[in-house]
């Protein structure tokens, strides 16, 4: 077992069939349509570290999150969890309990009719981790870990604020003592002040419990605070993957640069921003070659025809012809 | 200083409920000058949208203005009959909401909606309105506007739809625009485009804007002044630099401090403990007192009004008599 390769995604892809019903297809004489939500993504997360995925809406972040905990089966490729194929690991309760997921919406993800203690106890019961009084002891511990009181267990979710509800989701995820947590936009529905509470809590828990995180967000500033490594996604692929400080210090991919450029400047230095033009294309009908080429200031004929492969550039992995050709500095 | 275009004085909004009257806004006062952008920030539930809704006369029933007044160009608009209010909304005040689909009618092409708005409010012919509609679509950055004018809202992407909404809010050339989270539903790269657009249009046309958002970066980049709201009141108001970089009110300080910085990694973010009180449980004295690191005796019993705190005004007893 290798801690350096605790979690691995090996060229995973997930396609969805988004064809219209058969009759309509016949009338319109169109074939089946496939949406490549994720199209060949690889990464490794060493034990006890955080890999973040950032990117705009629809680029495939949640689809990856779901594949990493087995909620979706990859159309292609393999997820490896602590040396085992995930599909195989999911077959055993003892392995399944080692991974949990936290969702974006703390309102939708908690059953409103259950008391908090039963919500938090659910994984404990499902995995037969404890029985009798010991269940509530563990629930109390989990609630305490996230800064709530064991007495809160008697209440219902609607009695809590958004931030407290996200704490409850985290307590539920922690109650089966998992080692790997997939957090899909855990703070996006929260106010900044509450987001700070939750991010601090997640870091603290990671240090205390040695957790490994796959953290998903569209907010680069948030990602900078929590990640060891960052993968920047565009249209179903990772276009740049680098250690956090390297990515922010020297972003290489034109899309990464555009994303950073797009963030308003809080310090009001008067920096003039040049927003990237155009829109995110549809993943049903992605552009040829490099999918970023219609919006890229560095695009040339090769970019329009040939899809760039991931190449190493120092500690960074980047998929861009301009970087490979040394044309990126022109900007 | 120019005369204010919009003036809100001691505004109080109430919701009668079975369990008594809820005060959603209390004693809210501010003004906006022609061509000025006022940013409004605060946690969700602070009353930002409510303030905007009161100004455009779209408070959800049974909500009502219980006290105070709203003046546009010196004329009271808070107690106008419905028909008169409708005329003002559109002609003098344009509205942009978070979700473009709530503003656009799915049954009409974007051209029809623009033409209808212009012919209702401006003394122009339908042909002239159509010509101008194409111009507006071009100005908000819709490529091939002349061809796309007859398309329906669902044929546009989210970012494009929000541009259409902006065109719709601007086409009758109102003096004031109330924009409630206009970029929140958009992607980061599209957000930047829309903000840049709003800003230039407002500047070029001298339109004043009330820009409601929880995104402090957007405020920092766009607004001239900022109002920070907390539990239905204004906690601090002042020039954007002063409020964002040198806030005086402990709540504004906490709020700004909790924003994760983009340019560095911090071990632990500054956080405000606890959460904003519900309307039914606003503590006596300063509403922020249970969370305030600087709370002292007076805060528990007396409620502070806005007072001078250097370059900003803050509702905080720390600035009494200084
Ligand atoms: N069950 C599904 N059936 C068909 N298409 C899907 C399905 N789930 C996701 N998609 C599509 O796959 C693409 C990626 O979706 P995904 O939810 O992974 O994006 P995301 O990066 O998480 O976006 P967001 O930031 O909006 O959460 C999108 O185009 C989405 O519409
Ligand atoms: N229809 C309603 N009835 C009662 N209270 C309401 C109603 N709509 C909003 N509120 C309350 O008014 C307060 C201010 O809301 P709002 O202006 O929407 O906040 P913001 O836009 O700052 O998030 C909140 O506490 C909210 O719960
Ligand atoms: S491969 Fe070409 S189009 Fe793609 S990001 Fe690099 S330079 Fe731009
Ligand atoms: S009035 Fe008192 S409690 Fe309120 S913000 Fe000022 S110091 Fe804090
Ligand atoms: Mg998602
Ligand atoms: Mg609102």
């Amino acid at each position: 077992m290798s801690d350096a390769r605790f979690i691995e995604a090996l060229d995973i892809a997930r396609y969805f069939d988004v064809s219209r019903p058969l009759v309509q297809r016949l009338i319109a004489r169109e074939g089946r349509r496939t949406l490549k939500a994720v199209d060949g993504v690889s990464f490794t997360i060493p034990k006890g570290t955080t890999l973040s995925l950032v990117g705009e809406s629809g680029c495939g972040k949640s689809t990856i999150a779901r594949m990493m905990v087995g909620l979706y089966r990859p159309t292609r490729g393999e997820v490896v969890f602590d040396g085992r194929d995930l599909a195989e690991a999911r077959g055993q309760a003892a392995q399944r309990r080692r991974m949990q997921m936290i969702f974006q919406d703390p309102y939708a993800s908690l059953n409103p009719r259950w008391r908090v203690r039963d919500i938090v106890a659910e994984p404990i019961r499902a995995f037969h981790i404890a029985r009798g009084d010991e269940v509530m002891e563990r629930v109390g511990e989990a609630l305490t870990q996230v800064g709530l009181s064991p007495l809160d267990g008697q209440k219902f979710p609607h009695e809590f604020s958004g931030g407290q509800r996200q704490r409850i989701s985290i307590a539920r995820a922690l109650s089966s003592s998992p080692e790997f947590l997939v957090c899909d936009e855990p703070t996006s529905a929260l106010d900044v002040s509450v987001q700070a509470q939750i991010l601090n809590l997640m870091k603290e828990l990671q240090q205390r419990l040695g957790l490994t995180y796959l953290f998903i967000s569209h907010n680069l500033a948030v990602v900078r605070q929590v990640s060891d490594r960052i993968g920047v996604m565009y249209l179903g692929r990772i276009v740049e993957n680098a250690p956090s400080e390297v990515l922010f210090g020297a972003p290489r991919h034109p899309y990464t640069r555009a994303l950073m450029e797009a963030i308003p400047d809080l310090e009001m230095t008067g920096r003039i921003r040049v927003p990237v033009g155009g829109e995110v294309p549809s993943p049903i009908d992605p552009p040829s070659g490099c999918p970023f080429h219609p919006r890229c200031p560095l695009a040339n004929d090769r970019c329009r025809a040939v899809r760039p492969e991931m190449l190493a550039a120092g500690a960074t992995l980047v998929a861009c012809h301009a970087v490979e050709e040394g044309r990126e500095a022109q900007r | 200083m120019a005369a204010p275009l919009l003036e809100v004085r001691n505004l109080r909004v109430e919701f009668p409920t079975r369990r008594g009257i809820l005060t959603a806004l209390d004693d809210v006062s501010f003004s906006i000058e022609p061509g000025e952008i006022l940013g409004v920030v605060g946690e969700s539930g602070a009353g930002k949208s409510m303030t905007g809704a009161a100004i455009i006369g779209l408070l959800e029933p049974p909500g009502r203005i219980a006290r105070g007044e709203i003046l546009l160009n010196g004329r009271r608009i808070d107690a106008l009959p419905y028909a008169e209010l409708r005329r003002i909304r559109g002609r003098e005040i344009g509205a942009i909401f978070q979700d473009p689909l709530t503003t656009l009618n799915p049954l009409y092409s974007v051209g029809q909606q623009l033409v209808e708005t212009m012919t209702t409010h401006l003394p122009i012919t339908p042909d002239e309105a159509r010509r101008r509609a194409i111009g507006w679509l071009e100005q908000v950055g819709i490529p091939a506007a002349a061809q796309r004018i007859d398309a329906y809202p669902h044929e546009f992407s989210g970012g494009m739809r929000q541009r259409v909404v902006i065109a719709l809010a601007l086409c009758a050339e109102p003096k004031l625009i109330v924009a409630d989270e206009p970029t929140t539903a958009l992607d980061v790269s599209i957000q930047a485009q829309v903000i840049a657009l709003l800003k230039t249009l407002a500047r070029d046309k001298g339109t004043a804007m009330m820009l409601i958002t929880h995104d402090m970066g957007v405020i920092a980049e766009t607004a001239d002044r900022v109002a920070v709201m907390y539990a239905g009141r204004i906690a601090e108001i002042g020039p954007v630099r002063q409020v964002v970089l040198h806030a005086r009110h402990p709540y504004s300080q906490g709020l700004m401090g909790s924003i994760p910085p983009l340019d560095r990694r911090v071990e632990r973010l500054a956080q405000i403990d606890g959460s904003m009180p519900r309307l039914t449980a606003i503590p006596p004295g300063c509403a922020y007192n249970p969370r305030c690191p600087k709370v002292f005796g007076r805060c528990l019993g007396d409620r502070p009004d806005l007072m001078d705190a250097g370059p900003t005004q803050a509702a905080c007893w720390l600035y009494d008599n200084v």
Side-chain angles (χ1 to χ4, degrees):
Chain A
M1 243 166 280
S2 152
D3 281 356
R5 315 186 76 85
F6 186 51
I7 308 292
E8 270 183 297
L10 303 173
D11 190 35
I12 55 172
R14 171 78 202 195
Y15 298 170
F16 294 104
D17 182 351
V18 290
S19 312
R20 292 198 287 172
L22 180 65
V23 179
Q24 285 182 29
R25 285 211 316 270
L26 289 176
I27 294 169
R29 291 167 183 266
E30 72 182 25
R32 290 199 158 275
R33 306 218 296 169
T34 305
L35 185 153
K36 299 180 176 177
V38 175
D39 194 18
V41 161
S42 304
F43 54 79
T44 305
I45 319 178
K47 195 165 186 151
T49 70
T50 301
L51 171 77
S52 293
L53 297 178
V54 276
E56 296 180 277
S57 187
C59 68
K61 306 180 295 293
S62 298
T63 306
I64 293 185
R66 297 177 146 256
M67 286 193 278
M68 296 311 289
V69 291
L71 290 175
Y72 280 159
R73 224 171 219 293
T75 306
R76 170 179 95 228
E78 190 189 11
V79 176
V80 183
F81 177 78
D82 200 8
R84 285 167 221 250
D85 177 69
L86 182 72
E88 177 202 319
R90 296 286 304 175
Q92 300 161 271
Q95 296 299 321
R96 215 159 51 229
R97 69 175 264 200
R98 297 172 67 194
M99 57 192 100
Q100 285 288 351
M101 181 154 168
I102 300 169
F103 297 90
Q104 167 168 355
D105 188 350
Y107 298 86
S109 62
L110 303 176
N111 186 332
R113 286 184 297 275
W114 285 18
R115 285 183 199 276
V116 166
R117 60 168 184 244
D118 295 314
I119 291 174
V120 176
E122 200 245 348
I124 304 176
R125 293 189 170 124
F127 293 121
H128 309 290
I129 292 167
R131 52 181 50 174
D133 292 347
E134 214 195 310
V135 174
M136 284 307 137
E137 242 168 70
R138 274 194 160 248
V139 167
E141 266 170 41
L143 287 172
T144 311
Q145 266 176 348
V146 299
L148 295 171
S149 147
L151 294 176
D152 287 328
Q154 294 165 24
K155 299 184 192 160
F156 290 94
H158 74 259
E159 297 176 63
F160 294 89
S161 68
Q164 289 171 322
R165 278 181 233 200
Q166 199 55 296
R167 286 173 194 264
I168 296 169
S169 318
I170 298 173
R172 174 181 58 188
L174 291 176
S175 68
S176 62
S177 311
E179 296 154 59
F180 176 45
L181 278 188
V182 173
C183 315
D184 189 1
E185 307 253 14
T187 62
S188 302
L190 306 175
D191 281 309
V192 272
S193 54
V194 181
Q195 167 173 279
Q197 297 173 0
I198 298 295
L199 293 177
N200 285 338
L201 172 68
M202 289 184 55
K203 278 183 160 185
E204 211 178 283
L205 290 169
Q206 178 168 50
Q207 278 162 15
R208 192 138 45 87
L209 307 171
L211 300 171
T212 305
Y213 289 141
L214 174 64
F215 187 94
I216 286 170
S217 175
H218 63 272
N219 184 326
L220 275 172
V222 163
V223 154
R224 179 159 207 178
Q225 305 310 316
V226 299
S227 324
D228 296 289
R229 261 193 108 89
I230 296 170
V232 178
M233 290 192 66
Y234 192 74
L235 263 143
R237 306 210 178 99
I238 293 182
V239 296
E240 180 162 8
N241 176 334
S244 177
E245 289 314 298
V246 174
L247 187 89
F248 282 97
R252 306 294 299 271
H253 197 282
Y255 177 63
T256 310
R257 295 180 176 194
L259 265 189
M260 290 187 182
E261 186 77 8
I263 297 166
D265 180 9
L266 201 59
E267 310 287 332
M268 288 175 275
T269 49
R271 171 174 63 102
I272 305 291
R273 296 194 292 123
V274 191
V276 53
E279 306 252 339
V280 183
S282 156
I284 297 179
D285 193 12
S288 62
C290 170
F292 189 56
H293 86 247
R295 308 173 75 190
C296 181
L298 299 180
N300 64 12
D301 287 344
R302 184 180 178 209
C303 302
R304 284 181 275 274
V306 185
R307 185 176 131 190
E309 297 293 326
M310 267 301 209
L311 295 173
T316 300
L317 291 165
V318 57
C320 170
H321 295 314
V323 174
E324 189 199 349
E325 295 159 12
R327 290 194 286 120
E328 53 168 337
Q330 288 168 11
R331 239 173 119 197
Chain B
M1 208 157 72
L5 173 76
L6 176 79
E7 209 175 345
V8 175
R9 290 188 194 147
N10 310 103
L11 181 67
R12 176 173 178 142
V13 169
E14 294 179 346
F15 282 85
T17 69
R18 263 172 290 140
R19 271 167 285 147
I21 290 176
L22 276 182
T23 306
L25 291 182
D26 199 10
D27 212 7
V28 170
S29 300
F30 63 89
S31 60
I32 306 182
E33 287 169 32
E36 186 185 42
I37 300 179
L38 175 76
V40 180
V41 299
E43 285 168 271
S44 65
K48 308 181 295 292
S49 300
M50 194 74 67
T51 308
I55 292 168
I56 51 187
L58 283 179
L59 277 179
E60 233 176 86
R64 58 168 195 230
I65 295 178
R67 197 183 296 167
E69 45 195 47
I70 301 171
L71 296 97
L72 188 70
N73 269 325
R75 170 167 170 241
R76 273 188 76 165
I77 56 164
D78 53 280
L80 292 176
Y82 182 76
E84 182 65 355
L85 199 62
R86 263 201 62 164
R87 202 192 61 76
I88 289 191
R89 197 189 306 141
R91 177 70 191 93
E92 293 181 55
I93 307 180
I96 303 172
F97 298 105
Q98 172 166 348
D99 180 2
L101 290 178
T102 58
T103 310
L104 296 172
N105 188 330
L107 301 179
Y108 294 93
S109 72
V110 304
Q112 284 168 318
Q113 298 184 51
L114 284 161
V115 167
E116 150 89 22
T117 304
M118 280 186 273
T119 48
T120 309
H121 295 296
L122 303 174
I124 55 174
T125 63
D127 282 350
E128 167 66 10
R130 188 178 162 88
R131 207 180 52 72
R132 286 199 201 175
I134 295 171
W136 279 108
L137 291 176
E138 274 165 3
Q139 281 202 54
V140 297
I142 306 263
Q147 280 105 63
R148 305 205 67 186
I149 182 165
D150 295 314
Y152 288 80
H154 71 264
E155 298 175 57
F156 291 87
S157 69
M160 286 293 165
R161 269 187 222 135
Q162 194 61 306
R163 285 160 203 265
V164 172
V165 170
I166 292 174
L168 208 50
L170 290 166
C171 69
E173 297 172 21
K175 312 243 170 20
L176 174 70
I177 288 187
V178 175
D180 191 352
E181 309 271 4
T183 58
T184 307
L186 305 176
D187 269 321
V188 205
S189 68
I190 311 298
Q191 266 179 22
Q193 298 170 6
V194 170
I195 286 296
L197 172 70
L198 270 179
K199 200 170 155 172
T200 12
L201 290 180
R203 290 283 137 87
D204 292 354
K205 314 268 170 209
T207 316
M209 188 152 63
M210 174 169 165
L211 177 62
I212 300 170
T213 173
H214 64 267
D215 188 334
M216 226 66 71
V218 167
I219 292 283
E221 196 152 276
T222 319
D224 300 302
R225 280 189 308 136
V226 187
V228 180
M229 294 195 69
Y230 188 78
R233 311 184 92 221
I234 293 180
E236 182 163 8
I237 184 166
V240 63
R241 272 198 101 75
Q242 298 303 326
V243 176
V244 174
L245 299 179
H246 312 285
R248 304 300 153 114
H249 194 287
Y251 174 65
S252 325
Q253 290 168 354
L255 193 63
M256 304 303 161
S258 65
I259 301 169
L262 181 65
D263 60 353
R264 62 190 180 279
R265 179 181 170 125
V266 296
E267 255 337 291
R268 198 183 148 76
L269 292 163
Q271 66 177 54
I272 312 177
D273 291 325
S275 53
M276 198 172 66
R278 297 180 187 192
L279 292 181
T280 46
I282 295 185
C286 170
Y288 189 55
N289 77 52
R291 305 170 78 185
C292 182
K294 299 191 178 142
V295 58
F296 59 102
R298 188 170 183 189
C299 311
L300 304 177
D302 293 345
R303 200 166 67 177
D305 287 322
L306 283 175
M307 50 191 106
D308 285 331
T312 76
Q313 289 195 301
C316 170
W317 290 126
L318 291 173
Y319 301 98
D320 198 23
N321 300 326
V322 279

